[in-house]
Amino acid sequence: MSLFHSVLLAVGLLAAAGPAAADEMPLEAQAVPLDPVHPDMTHVGALDYVAGFALMPAPTLLATRPLAPWGGLSDMMLARDGSALLSVSDIGWWWRLRLTRDAQGKLTGVPGAEAAPLRDLDGTALTRKFESDAESMTKLADGRWVVGFERHHRLWSYPGAGPDAVLPEGPASPIDGPATLVNLPENNGIEALAELADGRILMLAEGQENAPGDGVGWLGKPGTWDLVTIQHSQGFRPTALARLPSGDLLLLERYFTKSKGPAVRISFIAAASLEPGARLQPSLLAEWRLPMTVDNFECLAIEPDAQGGFYLFILSDDNQNPLQRTLLMQFHWAGP
């Protein structure tokens, strides 16, 4: 058994014993340019680059007790005061990343994080990959968090005080999802999830790589779901949704092939198009790929800028792969 799996097993056994204080992990944040080849570059599409960091556990972590395994971050939302990001990982953990920012709102660092396990319907920590593969999340108006899982495709809700307080605690409660959710391929489940202004939920499946035709999703509420489709192009697949104050949405998509590597795309979806049976056709805001700074981006959050426009944050899932990075990047967008 590898050291990683030994640590994972030990932490899982401790968490399964019952609720405990969140693990605290100091982080090291190394600044990254938008384009390493052209370090003065600050624009891509309709977006202005503000700041970005590669995140990793600080070296001092090696001298402390075993903590939650870092990485695998799959979706996130920003605290109301902009001081933290709440995220879920695809190995069954909540993460709260503490942010430092200057007076203008620019991200200046990520000094640390707290972690706590996602729990099942009985309050036991999730440890098996088949059950713990959390890929999407949203916060409902009533304060609950909804998490979408793949492999064992399902929707669970968690109570909690929100991203500006403690990490959510279990146990989870099941949500009545679409009956056809179980028909999705094991590793191509609900990657993008958002509550709309009217209380409906939009969720989009990742879809199989290079599959022909449109992607699928659902629009509605527990017990009442309508099928929607989304136009796929050039091999990009949905990974996150974030709602604007207007009710419109931003969509994050990723791309990867062994020959071309990763790419990322951010697009706009008008609220008026969110109707049962709709074929969603996002409008492109920005797209970039190597040699620019890019990885497996799966998380998106939005924050209005008091000076006008919006801050966008994107975060990557490193797949616990030493060849990948956890990148947190901040952009500014003037708005639609």
Side-chain angles (χ1 to χ4, degrees):
M1 182 181 291
S2 68
L3 175 60
F4 168 80
H5 287 96
S6 297
V7 170
L8 178 57
L9 177 60
V11 173
L13 290 174
L14 288 170
D23 284 333
E24 295 186 5
M25 176 181 288
L27 294 178
E28 185 176 285
Q30 297 180 352
V32 295
L34 175 61
D35 186 342
V37 179
H38 304 94
D40 294 333
M41 182 177 179
T42 58
H43 304 281
V44 57
L47 306 182
D48 296 319
Y49 186 52
V50 178
F53 297 91
L55 308 180
M56 64 205 74
T60 55
L61 177 63
L62 298 177
T64 68
R65 65 184 179 88
L67 299 177
W70 170 250
L73 305 177
S74 295
D75 206 351
M76 69 182 183
M77 296 188 77
L78 187 69
R80 284 191 296 271
D81 64 359
S83 66
L85 287 164
L86 181 69
S87 181
V88 287
S89 80
D90 58 17
I91 50 175
W93 291 84
W94 295 104
W95 283 93
R96 185 176 185 272
L97 279 61
R98 300 191 301 274
L99 310 179
T100 57
R101 304 172 68 178
D102 67 14
Q104 287 71 47
K106 178 181 178 179
L107 185 66
T108 57
V110 187
E114 296 87 37
L118 285 158
R119 299 182 181 274
D120 65 14
L121 306 181
D122 297 321
T124 303
L126 299 173
T127 55
R128 296 172 56 236
K129 179 67 172 179
F130 183 74
E131 297 291 337
S132 64
D133 196 348
E135 294 290 344
S136 53
M137 63 181 287
T138 192
K139 188 180 183 184
L140 302 183
D142 64 11
R144 290 180 297 155
W145 294 98
V146 174
V147 177
F149 295 84
E150 69 178 14
R151 299 182 193 273
H152 176 193
H153 301 295
R154 67 199 188 279
L155 299 172
W156 281 357
S157 71
Y158 292 87
D164 13 26
V166 298
L167 290 161
E169 288 287 345
S173 298
I175 289 180
D176 185 11
T180 50
L181 192 62
V182 297
N183 298 331
L184 293 174
E186 181 178 290
N187 198 31
N188 299 113
I190 298 300
E191 285 274 348
L193 184 65
E195 185 183 41
L196 307 184
D198 59 11
R200 293 179 300 165
I201 294 173
L202 174 64
M203 50 188 182
L204 302 175
E206 178 183 14
Q208 291 180 291
E209 187 173 354
N210 297 319
D214 292 341
V216 299
W218 292 268
L219 178 64
K221 294 183 177 183
T224 307
W225 298 98
D226 293 293
L227 187 69
V228 296
T229 58
I230 180 167
Q231 181 181 12
H232 280 180
S233 63
Q234 301 175 331
F236 282 86
R237 298 183 290 168
T239 57
L241 287 164
R243 192 181 85 209
L244 294 161
S246 62
D248 303 312
L249 298 174
L250 294 188
L251 171 68
L252 179 70
E253 296 175 281
R254 68 176 170 196
Y255 168 95
F256 177 80
T257 65
K258 291 182 179 179
S259 60
K260 296 182 180 180
V264 60
R265 173 185 286 178
I266 299 175
S267 302
F268 175 86
I269 299 176
S273 68
L274 301 173
E275 297 293 340
R279 181 176 185 257
L280 305 178
Q281 300 183 59
S283 301
L284 181 65
L285 297 182
E287 176 183 319
W288 67 98
R289 59 186 68 230
L290 295 175
M292 296 176 69
T293 299
V294 64
D295 211 294
N296 178 34
F297 284 108
E298 293 197 14
C299 310
L300 171 67
I302 298 172
E303 176 188 52
D305 176 12
Q307 304 303 314
F310 301 90
Y311 286 119
L312 277 59
F313 296 84
I314 60 173
L315 181 68
S316 66
D317 173 0
D318 68 355
N319 293 310
Q320 288 83 51
N321 183 337
L323 299 179
Q324 293 182 249
R325 295 183 291 176
T326 299
L327 295 173
L328 176 59
M329 302 178 75
Q330 181 188 22
F331 295 86
H332 189 272
W333 175 49

